[in-house]
Amino acid sequence: MLSAVIFDVDGVLVDSPHEQAWREALAEFADPTGFTTAFYQAHVAGKPRLEGARAALERLGDAEAAAHAAAFSQRKQAVIERLIAEDRFVAFPDAIRLTVALRDAGLRIVLASSSKNADAVLARVILPDGRTLRSLFDADVSGRDVPRGKPDPALFQLAAKAVNVQPARCLVVEDAPAGIRAAQAGGMASLGIARLGDEALLRAAGADFVVTSLDQLDVAALGHGSLRTRSVDAAREP
């Protein structure tokens, strides 16, 4: 049975400006034309900032990627802070609906993004009743320092511990292959949300179930350990 749902933030709950920030910052270090959405999803999304910076530079052919990664990541942080202050992001309506439905169903919900900006973003999303999106969650371990970032499971294991739920009873909701692999490594079920037509990428990473909208998920079935859409014929056990 599943008792807790662990959410990544960027690309799952919020259409955040992280990809834009990386691309803007990259102009000082490499040609940004190769930094496509597909490139971001495959090599940067879900990773801690410094690891993402180094991975991007290496993939783009920077022979001194290790030396340039810190400056690149710092520049990206400056850009993302400006974009957040300008409210250059929106929360996905299906994600808000799922979050509310999970709370109503009695499941614990936890935030576990590698980004240290996640809390600042969700605190700026105001719901119709005046609460913030952040306030709906039972715990938040986003941006915590862990020995290794995703695809290592340390952050998700920390999230499970925060709500006192065994990993085997947790479901991770992710949009990035690194996050899916982290859930798998931690012994957790994984739901891939393919908002960018990247279903194949998430399945290849090992996602137990993939949807294109979080409205497709059958919340009532989660308590019984089933990952399925609202159509019973589409059921799949994690």
Side-chain angles (χ1 to χ4, degrees), residues 4-7 110-114 139-142 144-172 174 178-189:
V5 181
I6 300 171
F7 283 85
V110 191
L111 295 166
S113 169
S114 296
D140 181 5
V141 299
S142 298
R144 296 278 186 89
D145 290 326
V146 290
R148 291 167 299 281
K150 303 172 190 176
D152 187 273
L155 189 64
F156 290 152
Q157 290 169 335
L158 193 62
K161 187 176 180 180
V163 289
N164 197 30
V165 175
Q166 292 298 314
R169 299 184 66 179
C170 293
L171 170 68
V172 171
E174 265 281 0
I180 294 295
R181 290 194 292 270
Q184 188 176 50
M188 302 176 183

Side-chain angles (χ1 to χ4, degrees), residues 95-180:
I96 294 176
R97 287 190 289 269
L98 177 60
T99 301
V100 172
L102 291 171
R103 283 190 64 86
D104 290 347
L107 280 80
R108 311 301 300 278
I109 49 178
V110 191
L111 295 166
S113 169
S114 296
S115 173
K116 295 183 182 296
N117 305 294
D119 193 70
V121 169
L122 296 186
R124 296 177 73 93
V125 178
I126 308 300
L127 304 178
D129 61 6
R131 291 180 296 174
T132 66
L133 182 54
R134 165 63 186 88
S135 70
L136 298 184
F137 289 82
D138 296 297
D140 181 5
V141 299
S142 298
R144 296 278 186 89
D145 290 326
V146 290
R148 291 167 299 281
K150 303 172 190 176
D152 187 273
L155 189 64
F156 290 152
Q157 290 169 335
L158 193 62
K161 187 176 180 180
V163 289
N164 197 30
V165 175
Q166 292 298 314
R169 299 184 66 179
C170 293
L171 170 68
V172 171
V173 185
E174 265 281 0
D175 72 317
I180 294 295

Side-chain angles (χ1 to χ4, degrees), residues 26 30 39 43-44 47 50-69 72:
L26 184 61
F39 180 97
H43 306 300
V44 181
K47 295 179 180 178
L50 188 59
E51 290 181 27
R54 180 169 180 169
L57 292 175
E58 287 176 345
R59 290 279 177 171
L60 292 171
D62 185 346
E64 297 184 73
H68 296 159
F72 177 30

